Amino acid sequence: MATELPGEGQGASPDAEDTHLREVLVQGEKVFDGHFLKVQRDHVRLPDGRVATREYIRHPGAVMIVPLLDDGRLLLERQFRYPMGRVMLEFPAGKLDAGEAPLRCAQRELLEETGYRAREWAHAGVLHNAIAYSDEGIEIFFARGLVAGHQDLDEGEFLELVSHSAAELEAWAADGSLTDAKTLIGLLWLQRWQSGAWALDWQPAA
Amino acid sequence: MATELPGEGQGASPDAEDTHLREVLVQGEKVFDGHFLKVQRDHVRLPDGRVATREYIRHPGAVMIVPLLDDGRLLLERQFRYPMGRVMLEFPAGKLDAGEAPLRCAQRELLEETGYRAREWAHAGVLHNAIAYSDEGIEIFFARGLVAGHQDLDEGEFLELVSHSAAELEAWAADGSLTDAKTLIGLLWLQRWQSGAWALDWQPAA
């Protein structure tokens, strides 16, 4: 059946000709303006001309860092995530400040949350974690040549640093005890980079 | 440095002793009740006794299906995702109806969105895609023995079916043109299953 499906060879990229799928803003407004969450509600024109409603979070964007310790282990955080009601194992991550470049944010968040600076950085890619209801993108960075220093957590931020081998993380991903999406995608990148399938362009820290 | 980090050997699982990280509800309320998004604002007691505010989306949960065609290609969707402003390449997915079992939802969503039924199903795991501001979990299923039938899209739902090889999807993940988090995690599972590293427990469709 596969060869009968349309769209083959079009690639994953957006296509300017996608008018049969595209939704167009009619009018919109911010309907919730919380301390952390901003919700937008837009009325959109569907491909068939009808009008529908789209509600979504406006997010400033974020970064994640996959920090490689010199002994081959990875630096992670254990953090209570209130919406989940439990402690989650995660790669360090944080939100962009207004106007902040992603690499600068990655270096700031790694330092603030873990106390580490890195001698080399590589940008791996970006992930979009909730495309049905958020415009958040998380830029993925790798860091190596780590040098320990002092943590500088935000007020009200509590987390615990841990280090684990890739094999341990793989086992926890496989058995369902590691479920954070960005961290799983960090593992995908790590596995594909370490296997030689995907490249990373390492640059010295500015 | 790695051996000096605390927490080694604790595993990825939540720990009942994590009182130094845990946040406890003081009081909460629903502060936005949209057509699609429900926002909760809770006041919580932090580990140091202070009170902070947590805003997050209440989500019913979702499923994703990694559908394996008999020729080895994968069945995916191209769908305009309004918060992203563009068409995204994704594995089929959808929200749980109230009280619906995840496998039942996966079978329903695969049929409605693609027209395919599957002879065999395997539950791979769960991913949590926005742990800072949503309680959403996406249950990951694999489906094989696919038999084509008729799509039955929801009103206002427009999508295009495509099929691609794992190698094509890997290349687009590596070059940044495939960025949907659940789909990247589907690729991680696919790669680790096909390499023999992770197992899938296939069951005939009920």
Side-chain angles (χ1 to χ4, degrees), chain A residues 114-180:
Chain A
T114 75
Y116 281 82
R117 296 176 193 272
R119 293 200 179 91
E120 286 185 284
W121 288 84
H123 180 244
V126 63
L127 69 92
H128 294 108
N129 59 324
I131 61 177
Y133 60 83
S134 173
D135 64 359
E136 180 175 10
I138 303 180
E139 299 286 346
I140 306 164
F141 290 92
F142 278 64
R144 68 183 178 188
L146 297 179
V147 180
H150 295 288
Q151 247 178 333
D152 180 24
L153 296 176
D154 289 340
E155 190 174 296
E157 192 172 36
F158 298 85
L159 58 85
E160 187 174 285
L161 296 182
V162 291
S163 69
H164 294 295
S165 69
E168 284 175 308
L169 299 173
E170 285 254 339
W172 291 326
D175 77 12
S177 52
L178 193 169
T179 63
D180 174 52

Side-chain angles (χ1 to χ4, degrees), chain B residues 85-141:
Chain B
R86 59 187 170 90
V87 172
M88 305 285 287
L89 182 67
E90 305 168 53
F91 286 123
K95 271 190 292 204
L96 293 171
D97 286 341
E100 189 178 36
L103 175 60
R104 177 73 194 84
C105 178
Q107 294 175 337
R108 177 179 58 75
E109 288 286 351
L110 184 66
L111 183 62
E112 288 176 3
E113 293 191 355
T114 75
Y116 281 81
R117 295 177 193 273
R119 293 200 179 90
E120 285 186 285
W121 289 82
H123 180 246
V126 63
L127 69 93
H128 294 108
N129 58 323
I131 60 178
Y133 61 84
S134 174
D135 63 359
E136 180 176 8
I138 302 180
E139 299 286 345
I140 306 164
F141 290 92

Side-chain angles (χ1 to χ4, degrees), chain A residues 6 11 18 20-21 35-37 42 55 78 80 82 128-129 133-134 136 160-161 170 172 179 181 192, chain B residues 6 11 18 20-21 35-37 42 55 78 80 82 128-129 133-134 136 160-161 170 172 179 181 192:
Chain A
D18 280 332
H20 60 300
L21 299 172
H35 298 296
F36 305 106
L37 293 184
D42 288 357
E55 290 169 358
R78 297 181 70 250
F80 189 81
Y82 186 79
H128 294 108
N129 59 324
Y133 60 83
S134 173
E136 180 175 10
E160 187 174 285
L161 296 182
E170 285 254 339
W172 291 326
T179 63
R192 304 311 283 141
Chain B
D18 280 332
H20 61 300
L21 299 172
H35 299 298
F36 306 105
L37 293 185
D42 288 357
E55 289 169 359
R78 296 180 71 250
F80 189 80
Y82 186 79
H128 294 108
N129 58 323
Y133 61 84
S134 174
E136 180 176 8
E160 188 174 284
L161 296 182
E170 285 256 338
W172 292 327
T179 63
R192 302 312 282 142

